[in-house]
Amino acid sequence: MIVLGIESTAHTFGVGIADEEGRILANINAIYVPRGGGILPREAARHHFLVADKVLRRALKVANVKLRDLDAIAIALGPGMGPCLRVGALMARALAVKLNRPLVPVNHCVAHIEIARLTTQSQDPLVVYISGGNTIISAFAEGRYRIFGETLDIALGNFLDTLARELGLPQPGVPQVEALASKGTKIIELPYIVKGQDMSFSGLLTAALRKLKEGIRVEDLCLSVVEYAYAMLAEVAERALAHTRKKELVLTGGVARSKRLQEVLRQVAEEHDAVFKVVPDEYAGDNGAMIAWTGVLAFRHGITIPIEKSYVKQRWRLDEVEVPWRS
Ligand code: AMP
Ligand code: MG
């Protein structure tokens, strides 16, 4: 079985191709980089529209498969930005109709988890999923990926990217902020906001920008912000690990590439006798391969969607999705 998957939820337009054994035959991704501020959904959608054809052809070539070899088309229907989602969905529907193949709906967050499980060979991990748009701590229980902690406002990646922009640094912002943090020497006091199992980063952002105006040393500010944010995450992850008693802790999403975050979470895992694993860099950020692979898992369990019902779902929560392949 060969499934082609399309990712277009935010800044990345990606096409991946995967087979039933979990081999990734192609993973081609084109990333929209905003000129000034944050992602403009309509501009990102325009980028996706312009690169779609080239990315698709390249993926087929790299995988060495023909369109007629495909058994199903998987599409990330959400969560994400409406205009971006619609570009991928349009292409997926067109391919499904043209090839007379089923369309398989994939939730973007489930895909970040499944590609991490595949590539780190984890069975039943507690997952820490940190990206530009999401901050979620999740584990499988009773048929679904349940949420054991999330952000109440902005995502961790978005938070540090915004701070980077305010500091005049280029994107992606997280490694930029971390590079300055590594030259910091002093940790200042900032708001530490954890409510139950949920985190809030917007107060931290406001406070950081205020300190900046007051003339704090930028390196110290970055160090403080990064350490506060990762400590909040570690606290929530630790409680989730203690509660779920999972024996693996897996880090996924774009920010999984952070060495400092890896270090902090590895310590949490070790204290609870859990094995710590990180998704490989190639599959950390948004990518087509994760949609293709999750498409394989879903399609094997008969999950398809009629074209006329394949609406995009901007706010499709992780814990709304049935995950029969884990049951
Ligand atoms: P995603 O939305 O999953 O593609 O992830 C995007 C996020 O990953 C952004 O917040 C980036 O700043 C962050 N990011 C990109 N490269 C790195 C890196 N090398 N280390 C840490 N974070 C990164
Ligand atoms: Mg993502």
Side-chain angles (χ1 to χ4, degrees):
M1 183 206 293
I2 298 182
V3 175
L4 179 140
I6 301 176
E7 158 64 35
S8 75
T9 61
H11 47 62
T12 299
F13 184 89
V15 173
I17 300 177
D19 74 7
E20 201 163 354
E21 276 78 54
R23 277 185 292 247
I24 303 300
L25 308 178
N27 184 30
I28 307 298
N29 301 287
I31 302 175
Y32 156 79
V33 183
R35 262 169 281 155
I39 300 178
L40 297 171
R42 278 172 54 203
E43 254 194 47
R46 193 178 129 76
H47 161 270
H48 297 349
F49 185 75
L50 292 173
V51 300
D53 180 55
K54 215 164 57 190
V55 172
L56 172 66
R57 279 173 206 277
R58 180 96 193 113
L60 291 166
K61 183 150 184 239
V62 167
N64 193 23
V65 301
K66 300 266 177 286
L67 279 174
R68 62 171 181 274
D69 301 330
L70 303 172
D71 295 290
I73 307 298
I75 174 65
L77 285 181
M81 301 173 173
C84 301
L85 287 166
R86 282 190 282 275
V87 177
L90 187 67
M91 182 180 227
R93 290 182 201 120
L95 283 171
V97 169
K98 176 181 150 71
L99 303 169
N100 192 24
R101 295 290 192 277
L103 194 61
V104 180
V106 169
N107 176 289
H108 176 89
C109 306
V110 172
H112 271 292
I113 294 176
E114 291 303 346
I115 197 70
R117 279 210 313 131
L118 173 74
T119 54
T120 63
Q121 299 188 339
S122 308
Q123 297 304 315
D124 184 27
L126 178 78
V127 178
V128 178
Y129 160 36
I130 313 292
S131 68
N134 289 286
T135 306
I136 295 177
I137 302 197
S138 169
F140 181 80
E142 289 167 32
R144 294 182 189 203
Y145 284 114
R146 308 287 169 177
I147 296 175
F148 291 90
E150 63 189 320
T151 177
L152 293 167
D153 38 55
I154 49 175
L156 177 61
N158 183 12
F159 158 50
L160 293 178
D161 289 346
T162 306
L163 180 65
R165 268 196 300 279
E166 294 289 336
L167 293 171
L169 302 168
Q171 297 292 318
V174 179
Q176 297 286 337
V177 171
E178 286 188 343
L180 283 178
S182 71
K183 296 186 196 115
T185 53
K186 185 171 97 189
I187 293 190
I188 57 157
E189 204 176 314
L190 290 168
Y192 180 99
I193 308 168
V194 175
K195 293 181 181 166
Q197 276 295 92
D198 295 329
M199 297 148 274
S200 158
F201 297 107
S202 69
L204 193 48
L205 178 61
T206 309
L209 296 179
R210 194 179 322 120
K211 294 279 180 195
L212 199 61
K213 281 209 188 99
E214 290 168 11
I216 184 184
R217 204 174 148 246
V218 172
E219 291 83 354
D220 291 340
L221 179 71
C222 289
L223 175 66
S224 308
V225 159
V226 164
E227 292 305 317
Y228 265 76
Y230 294 178
M232 285 160 58
L233 205 56
E235 181 192 325
V236 173
E238 179 159 18
R239 252 195 316 270
L241 202 55
H243 174 75
T244 60
R245 299 185 185 180
K246 301 288 184 188
K247 286 292 153 218
E248 299 158 303
L249 177 61
V250 167
L251 178 58
T252 191
V255 187
R257 287 167 286 202
S258 160
K259 293 287 177 289
R260 179 62 188 139
L261 181 56
Q262 290 173 15
E263 204 177 357
V264 167
L265 292 176
R266 178 171 290 118
Q267 214 168 5
V268 168
E270 278 168 5
E271 276 162 23
H272 290 263
D273 292 318
V275 180
F276 179 68
K277 293 172 180 175
V278 186
V279 74
D281 281 5
E282 181 185 358
Y283 304 109
D286 293 350
N287 64 88
M290 68 183 192
I291 308 303
W293 170 238
T294 309
V296 169
L297 295 171
F299 185 49
R300 270 206 306 231
H301 280 79
I303 298 174
T304 62
I305 192 166
I307 304 274
E308 64 277 13
K309 288 193 180 147
S310 62
Y311 312 112
V312 302
K313 300 191 228 183
Q314 282 167 257
R315 296 181 189 285
W316 192 11
R317 276 178 66 87
L318 170 65
D319 54 4
E320 287 171 30
V321 185
E322 303 269 359
V323 183
W325 58 89
R326 291 282 319 264
S327 303

